[in-house]
Every structure is written in C-alpha cells, then in structure tokens.
Amino acid sequence: MHISEASNTSGSVSEFILLGFPCRREIQILLCVVFSLVYLLTLLGNAAIICAVWSSRKLHTPMYVLLANFSFLEMCYVSSDVPKMLADIISQTKSISYAGCLLQFYFVFSMCAAEGYFLSAMSFDRFLAICRPLHYPTIMTYQLCARLVVFCWAGGFLSILMPAVLMSRVPFCGPNVIDHFFCDLGPLLALSCAPVPKTTLTCATVSSLIIFITFLYILGSYTLVLRAVLRVPAGSGRNKAFSTCASHFLVVSLFYGSVMVMYVSPGSRSHPGTQKFVTLFYCMATPFFNPLIYSLRNKDMKDALKKVLCASEISKNAEK
C-alpha cells in the first residue's frame, strides 16, 4: 500500500523507545549522578546570572538584558531533554509517547534556533558598542533591546514550526526504537516507514539556513569588532573590550562548533556513538560552561554575583 508523504498518520506507533546509553547498571548509575550534577550546576549558574542582572542597577543595560534572557533560554534548553534523559537512565521502560516525542523535538530545536538568534543579537550589541560608540545610546535603546528579545524568542519557535508540522505527518508503522537519548531529527526520520524526501529536504534546509546565516552574521560582526579593538591604544579600555568580546566568541565557538559537527558534517549521523557524544556536548556542556565564561571574564558580572552571594549570606544569618 502506498503511503503519501502528506498523510497524517503515525501508523501503529503510539510510543517510542529511547535507548539512551545502553551499558552496565553501575555505569548507568554513575552517568545519572554525573549528568544530574551538571544539570543542577547549569541551572544554578544561569540562575545566578539572572539574579545578578536583576539585582544590580549597573547591569540594567542592553548587553546584560540580552545575557539574562540568554541564561534563561539555556535553563529552558537544558530542561527540554535532560530530565527525560535522566529518568530513562534509571528506568527500565525508557519510553516516550508519540506526542511527547514530537513536542520534545519541537522544543529542543526551537530553543536551539533561539540560541543562534540571541548570539546574533549579542554580537550586534557588541558591534554597536565598540564600532559605533557615539551612536550606541541612540541606536541600542531599551525599546530596540526589547524588540530584539521578542524577535529571538518568537523567531526560534516560529522557525521550527513548519519542520515540526511536517514531522507530525511522517508515517511511523514499524520499528519504534530510537538509538539516542532524545527525539532527534535524524533518528526519527530513519524510522519512517515510507520515503519522506520533502520533509527531509525542508528540515535540512531550515536548519542549515538558521545555522549558516546566524553564524556568518556573528563571524562578520566580531571580525569588525576585532579590527576596531586592535585600533584602540593599549590600555584598560582595550583590554575590557577584548575580554568581553572574547568571552562572547568563545560561547559562539562552543555552540556552533558542536552543532555544525552534528548537523552539517557529512557522515556524522552514521555513527550513533559520535552522534550521542556531540549532541550531549551542545545540550549539556555549552549551557554549563556559558555562565562560567561570562562570569569569570567579566568584572562587572563578578562584582554583581559577589553582592548577590553576600546578600544571601546576610539573609541566612538574619534568619538564624
């Protein structure tokens, strides 16, 4: 029987099995402990940045407003797949419903797209601050900053809407075992019981456009920023500008490096072990390292974090 690509059916598949990390029970427990610790530290680190920006009036600037939203995005991003992964490691069933799998796919990739948009917005902010310092206050107003924030959030979820709709129309009627720890694009398409070239092409096109357009824009922005920084006479101003931009570009390198290896490099999807490792890196490692990079390389952020910690200690002592 011919099954057209437009048919809205999940066949006989009502749930999927996420294999995750098949290994000995002792190793699974160890992985669960390590991943849980990284997950909690990621939430705490990004929450600390949000609290620091919220509590310090000195940080009520567009750069830090974007950073606070970026940190909240990282918390949502890591929470979209890691809790389910942790539950599956200690569970015997490791199942996820058909609807739950599609929702996970949509949220993970929407927030991945939003991360690219936020990194682009942050590079635009640094470009204006360093290359157009006299015009920065009149261009990067709070209104423009708010619009950028709305665009990044809405753009991330709208960009993946069509791929998500197309994925919901892919027929699944055979094997339902996904050799991964979340509902990734490649493993899901591999389980389709009929060819879906339009869906595959659309998903690949959308993801490639988001990755390359945002990356090239960020690369161009920081190239201009670097040229402007190198023209500044050596001193504290030059060092501060270079330190801020270096931390931003380090975050960009971590994110896009792993994403391009995963979704652009040919042959990367043919090795499930490599696929899981790289996916684990950009799903867990980058959100974990980002608050460390931003806080350790930024004096204003370190001062604000110290004030938050001191206020917390004073509050605890007062309660005692």
Side-chain angles (χ1 to χ4, degrees):
M1 182 180 68
H2 175 72
I3 302 177
S4 66
E5 186 168 356
S7 62
N8 183 14
T9 176
S10 62
S12 59
V13 173
S14 59
E15 65 177 20
F16 293 97
I17 306 298
L18 296 169
L19 287 184
F21 303 93
C23 52
R24 289 186 300 164
R25 189 63 180 170
E26 296 82 3
I27 298 178
Q28 287 183 335
I29 294 173
L30 178 62
L31 289 176
C32 185
V33 172
V34 172
F35 292 159
S36 298
L37 183 61
V38 172
Y39 175 60
L40 290 175
L41 290 175
T42 300
L43 294 181
L44 289 173
N46 285 285
I49 288 180
I50 295 172
C51 291
V53 174
W54 180 271
S55 62
S56 175
R57 293 190 62 85
K58 188 178 181 181
L59 301 184
H60 291 179
T61 61
M63 181 180 84
Y64 291 106
V65 170
L66 290 171
L67 177 58
N69 276 273
F70 183 73
S71 294
F72 181 66
L73 171 67
E74 294 287 59
M75 295 173 68
C76 298
Y77 185 26
V78 77
S79 297
S80 63
D81 54 1
V82 173
K84 175 60 179 171
M85 178 187 73
L86 295 174
D88 286 341
I89 288 177
I90 60 176
S91 173
Q92 296 297 325
T93 56
K94 305 182 187 299
S95 63
I96 184 172
S97 67
Y98 172 79
C101 191
L102 292 182
L103 281 174
Q104 188 185 61
F105 163 82
Y106 176 63
F107 280 109
V108 169
F109 282 90
S110 293
M111 281 179 278
C112 188
E115 183 158 348
Y117 296 144
F118 266 110
L119 290 172
S120 300
M122 292 163 77
S123 71
F124 172 66
D125 174 78
R126 289 302 84 201
F127 166 77
L128 287 178
I130 295 173
C131 299
R132 302 287 187 271
L134 298 178
H135 299 92
Y136 180 79
T138 56
I139 298 176
M140 184 54 77
T141 60
Y142 286 104
Q143 290 78 11
L144 178 58
C145 182
R147 288 171 188 163
L148 287 174
V149 168
V150 171
F151 169 79
C152 292
W153 281 106
F157 283 92
L158 291 176
S159 298
I160 308 300
L161 193 58
M162 181 178 289
V165 171
L166 291 175
M167 285 299 299
S168 70
R169 303 173 74 85
V170 172
F172 298 104
C173 53
N176 67 336
V177 178
I178 300 175
D179 190 9
H180 214 307
F181 60 84
F182 87 104
C183 295
D184 201 359
L185 175 63
L188 270 176
L189 289 175
L191 294 180
S192 171
C193 57
V196 282
K198 291 181 182 179
T199 298
T200 304
L201 179 61
T202 301
C203 291
T205 302
V206 169
S207 60
S208 297
L209 283 175
I210 294 172
I211 292 170
F212 281 112
I213 290 176
T214 56
F215 179 71
L216 291 176
Y217 177 81
I218 293 168
L219 190 62
S221 297
Y222 282 119
T223 299
L224 295 174
V225 166
L226 182 60
R227 287 175 58 189
V229 169
L230 292 176
R231 289 175 187 159
V232 176
S236 60
R238 175 177 175 175
N239 293 337
K240 183 177 180 181
F242 186 79
S243 178
T244 301
C245 294
S247 63
H248 284 208
F249 196 72
L250 183 56
V251 170
V252 169
S253 301
L254 285 173
F255 176 71
Y256 280 98
S258 55
V259 167
M260 285 185 176
V261 168
M262 187 66 237
Y263 296 103
V264 178
S265 176
S268 62
R269 300 183 187 181
S270 60
H271 301 89
T274 304
Q275 186 180 30
K276 290 179 192 178
F277 176 78
V278 177
T279 307
L280 191 66
F281 184 84
Y282 76 76
C283 284
M284 287 196 73
T286 53
F288 172 73
F289 285 120
N290 289 352
L292 294 175
I293 293 169
Y294 282 122
S295 59
L296 293 177
R297 295 186 62 88
N298 190 303
K299 184 179 182 300
D300 293 335
M301 181 60 66
K302 285 192 285 188
D303 292 340
L305 287 172
K306 287 177 184 177
K307 290 180 181 179
V308 170
L309 293 175
C310 289
S312 177
E313 288 295 327
I314 293 172
S315 177
K316 289 180 180 179
N317 292 332
E319 291 178 358
K320 290 180 180 179

